[in-house]
Each structure stands twice: as structure tokens, then as C-alpha cells.
Amino acid sequence: TENARNVDPEKSGGARYGCLLYSLSFLALLTLAIGLPYFVWYANAKSELDTEIERIRSRGEPLWFSELAPQDSDPDQDATPLFLMALSKVQWPSQAFSDLVMAFDPPTPPGDYPVLVTDLKANEPALALLSQAVRRPHFRLPLVYETRQPFDITLEPVQKAREFYHLLRGVVLQSLGTGDQPRAVEAVNEMFDLSELFRDEPSTITQLVRIAIAVVGQHSLKQVVAYGDLTPEQFAELDNRLAKMESQFTLLPALQGERATAFTTMNYLPENIEILKRSQPDDARNLRTMDYRMLRPKLLADEAFMLRTLTDFADYVDNTGPEGQAAVEKYRASLAEASDRHAVSKLVMPAMEMVRQAGLRYRQKMITARLGIRVDRYFSEHSKFPASLDEVLDDRMQSVPADLYTGRPV
């Protein structure tokens, strides 16, 4: 008590003030030590992302999913309403029908099959509308492009389009089996035209369905030439169509669409976490972590990586031969190197390499089909196969085309 009385109040207050000042200085230094690196981290990530955004903008390409919305077109040239109306009238074929038409190895031989007759008769209205639709030049699905959750959109009309190529293959088998070769050729052309209907859809899923339809068309074409001869007019029409399909095929719009879809999803990650978790439940923890405000720079860097990687990939997705394969190897190495640091990109970036390979096979099949109908024509004229593909060349194909994998003549 006596010691407490002898303490100088001014000295005591000064000591407390000094301790407070020391504490505040320490906290300021600690905040600076933590905050400055974070600020630098954030600034670098933001700058990296801004650079990639500016790169896309300078190329005039879509950045957001909303920018994929189709432009207005002439209603008389728009196939979309007719296609959707045709879908609404489809009577789903029986399992027996599907078993017949989707057998490829070995293929079902043409014939007069009662099950084909029944199901095709029920679908005459749908096929008639489809025939009108594929003659129109414009088609885009009416999706909700303003959404912040593009991965939650279902492409049901695209998936249902598979029923049309089942039906058209049935038309080919039944028409060949009953001697109506012109209708069989027409159905093959409609399959190819149905494939081309999805040409401008900015989705890799839709492009894979497009490719699948064309492949079934090629299988049907094999049977058409095996069971009859093409007239010169039929030959020219098919050849022109196949040449156009191969030469104009590109995955670039689909790559740009996937990039816009991924960027919108990542930019609004809190609204998309549950959607992504449904497809990748094993990565749920990483997704929650990326949503933390303090880890915002990590998400920005992830977005920049995704934009840069898909933009680079889009530049060479249609390249063929050794050059194209070298670019794929570079893309694969980039993903492997950054996989641990870019958790969200792994989820929102689809299997682009697989899509590219599907596109390459598609184009090669169109080249093979053009050669195939020439070999068939040669056999019909000479009763033997040519000794070399040079013997089947004509004014429409003046040299043997290059193999898209090796770059050498087929």
C-alpha cells in the first residue's frame, strides 16, 4: 500500500502509453507484413486475368455466356421452330426397332421389316417436318443465355435428336429392302443435313452429337453403295455435301462457347458450387476453399489460366498432322503442370483433347466416304477394284487427299 502511494501517476501513465504505442506499432508492422504480400498477390492475379480478358476482347470473341446468344434471323430461314415441332411429334421407336437400326457389326441387312414399317409410319409427320427444317440455313437452340449457371442448362433437344438418326437409318434399311433406292439416298442426305443443322451451336456436347449423327450417316451410305449404284446426280450431290462438311468443319465456336461457359461459372462460383459438386463430389472440399474471400487471388489466377489455356487451344484445335499432335502434347503438359494449382479449371474445362480427336475422326471419315464412293463407282464400271487411288480421281477430286493424322496421302 505504501509503495502504491509512492508511484508517480505521470510516470505510470507514460509507461502505459508506451506499451500501447509499442503494441500498435507491432500490429501495424504485422498487418503490413501480411497485407503487402497479399496485395501484391491480388494485384498480380488481377493483372494476369485482365490481360487474358483484353486478349479475348481484342479478338472480338465472346467472354461471357450471355454473349453466346444468337442474333435475330429471318423467320423464313430459321429451322429452329420446325425442328422443335418435329421433336414434339416423335413417337419413340420400340426397342426392336432400335436393335435393328443400330446394329453395325455386322450391320442389319436391308429388308422389309414389319417393325420398321410400323414405327416409321407413326413418325411420318415428324420426319416430314424434319425434312423441311434441314433445308433452312439458320438454327440455334432457344437457351436462357442470361443465366449465371450455364452448367445447369440441359440440352434435351440435342439429346433427343438422336431419335431422328435412328428413324432415318430405319428409312435407309426399309427403302433399300423394298427397292426404293432414291428414298434411301435421300435419307442419307437428310442425316448429313441433320448433322450440319447443329453446326453453329457453341457447345462441345452438341458438336459430339453432330459428329455421331454424321458417322451414322456414313454407315448408311456404305449400305446404299453396297446394294445399288449411285446415279451421276446422286453421286455429285453426295460428293459436294461431304466435301463441304469436311472443309468447313471447325470446333472453334464450340471452344469459345466452352470458355465463356467456364468463365461465367467461375466468376459466379458461390452460385455454382452445388452444381459442380454434383458432377465432381470428390472435389467438394477444394471448391469450398476457393470460395473463401481471402483466397480470391487464387480464383482470379485460376480464371486467367483457364482463359489462356482454352484460347491457346482454340488456336490449333482444327490443326491436323504432326503439327496438330504437337500442339495437343503441349496442351496436355500445361494441364498436368498446373492441375494442383487450378482446382476449379479442372472441373469446368471439359475433355478438350477428346473433343478434338472426335472432330479429327469425323473429318477423316468424310474424306474416306468421298474416296469410297469413287472406289464403288470404279468397281461398277470395271468389275474390279483399282490398283491405286489415283485411278479413281476426277475433276472434283484431282489428287489423293492427305491423311489428317500423318499429313501424307491416304
Side-chain angles (χ1 to χ4, degrees):
T1 304
E2 185 64 25
N3 291 338
R5 280 197 216 95
N6 294 331
V7 173
D8 188 339
E10 292 185 4
K11 291 182 179 180
S12 176
R16 288 196 297 271
Y17 177 77
C19 290
L20 179 60
L21 183 61
Y22 176 81
S23 299
L24 290 175
S25 299
F26 176 78
L27 288 174
L29 288 173
L30 182 63
T31 301
L32 184 62
I34 296 175
L36 184 59
Y38 180 85
F39 175 79
V40 172
W41 182 28
Y42 182 90
N44 288 340
K46 184 68 166 57
S47 175
E48 184 183 8
L49 178 59
D50 289 343
T51 298
E52 296 306 323
I53 290 175
E54 177 57 29
R55 179 188 177 194
I56 292 170
R57 290 301 191 197
S58 67
R59 293 155 64 117
E61 297 172 357
L63 177 67
W64 300 97
F65 186 75
S66 59
E67 295 171 14
L68 301 175
Q71 302 294 321
D72 292 336
S73 62
D74 182 351
D76 292 334
Q77 301 296 312
D78 188 2
T80 312
L82 284 173
F83 173 79
L84 295 176
M85 192 182 305
L87 269 185
S88 70
K89 293 185 178 298
V90 169
Q91 302 294 314
W92 304 118
S94 63
Q95 186 60 48
F97 182 99
S98 297
D99 291 342
L100 279 175
V101 301
M102 297 313 293
F104 294 111
D105 190 20
T108 300
D112 189 2
Y113 297 97
V115 66
L116 296 186
V117 173
T118 300
D119 285 355
L120 290 176
K121 181 68 176 177
N123 282 283
E124 283 180 355
L127 290 174
L129 286 168
L130 178 67
S131 180
Q132 296 177 50
V134 297
R135 292 188 178 95
R136 294 188 175 185
H138 299 295
F139 177 86
R140 285 293 304 276
L141 289 172
L143 306 178
V144 182
Y145 286 97
E146 296 301 322
T147 181
R148 294 181 177 183
Q149 299 174 312
F151 272 110
D152 208 29
I153 291 178
T154 58
L155 298 173
E156 187 177 3
V158 176
Q159 301 297 342
K160 287 184 176 180
R162 298 173 184 269
E163 297 303 327
F164 280 132
Y165 71 67
H166 289 178
L167 292 171
L168 289 170
R169 179 151 171 81
V171 171
V172 171
L173 293 177
Q174 184 67 22
S175 298
L176 288 176
T178 55
D180 190 356
Q181 191 260 11
R183 177 59 184 127
V185 174
E186 184 182 34
V188 170
N189 283 325
E190 287 177 358
M191 267 189 268
F192 288 141
D193 289 342
L194 173 60
S195 170
E196 286 297 282
L197 199 66
F198 298 132
R199 179 184 59 249
D200 298 325
E201 281 296 303
S203 159
T204 54
I205 292 176
T206 306
Q207 294 307 307
L208 290 174
V209 172
R210 171 192 176 190
I211 289 169
I213 294 171
V215 170
V216 174
Q218 192 214 31
H219 278 290
S220 293
L221 178 56
K222 289 180 184 179
Q223 288 192 298
V224 167
V225 299
Y227 287 88
D229 294 329
L230 296 174
T231 67
E233 294 76 19
Q234 290 171 339
F235 180 96
E237 184 179 6
L238 275 165
D239 189 52
N240 288 338
R241 183 177 271 100
L242 292 167
K244 184 178 180 180
M245 290 169 67
E246 190 281 318
S247 64
Q248 295 185 357
F249 181 82
T250 174
L251 286 170
L252 181 58
L255 260 293
Q256 293 174 356
E258 292 297 336
R259 185 183 62 195
T261 299
F263 183 65
T264 301
T265 299
M266 295 173 74
N267 199 73
Y268 299 104
L269 187 60
E271 300 175 40
N272 286 282
I273 284 180
E274 294 302 320
I275 297 169
L276 294 173
K277 280 166 57 179
R278 290 202 298 267
S279 61
Q280 298 288 344
D282 295 339
D283 290 296
R285 182 178 179 181
N286 286 337
L287 288 173
R288 293 193 197 96
T289 301
M290 292 294 285
D291 189 34
Y292 295 158
R293 184 174 294 276
M294 288 297 294
L295 291 180
R296 179 64 178 169
K298 187 175 181 181
L299 180 58
L300 294 178
D302 203 351
E303 288 178 302
F305 169 78
M306 181 275 299
L307 292 179
R308 180 171 57 254
T309 305
L310 285 188
T311 301
D312 290 344
F313 190 85
D315 285 340
Y316 56 76
V317 67
D318 295 318
N319 288 7
T320 61
E323 178 188 355
Q325 188 55 40
V328 168
E329 295 296 337
K330 181 180 178 182
Y331 170 79
R332 189 183 301 161
S334 174
L335 290 184
E337 180 183 352
S339 60
D340 293 335
R341 294 182 287 114
H342 300 293
V344 186
S345 288
K346 290 194 302 181
L347 305 182
V348 298
M349 289 173 63
M352 290 294 101
E353 186 179 347
M354 178 196 73
V355 174
R356 178 187 175 274
Q357 288 294 338
L360 205 58
R361 287 195 299 272
Y362 164 91
R363 293 174 60 188
Q364 189 68 55
K365 284 180 178 294
M366 298 303 105
I367 292 173
T368 303
R370 293 191 69 202
L371 287 168
I373 59 177
R374 282 167 169 78
V375 171
D376 174 75
R377 180 179 61 182
Y378 183 97
F379 188 91
S380 297
E381 295 173 353
H382 300 88
S383 299
K384 66 177 183 177
F385 288 112
S388 165
L389 287 177
D390 291 326
E391 297 182 39
V392 305
L393 300 178
D394 52 32
D395 291 341
R396 299 175 188 276
M397 182 183 284
Q398 298 183 1
S399 61
V400 178
D403 178 89
L404 300 184
Y405 292 90
T406 66
R408 297 190 297 270
V410 174

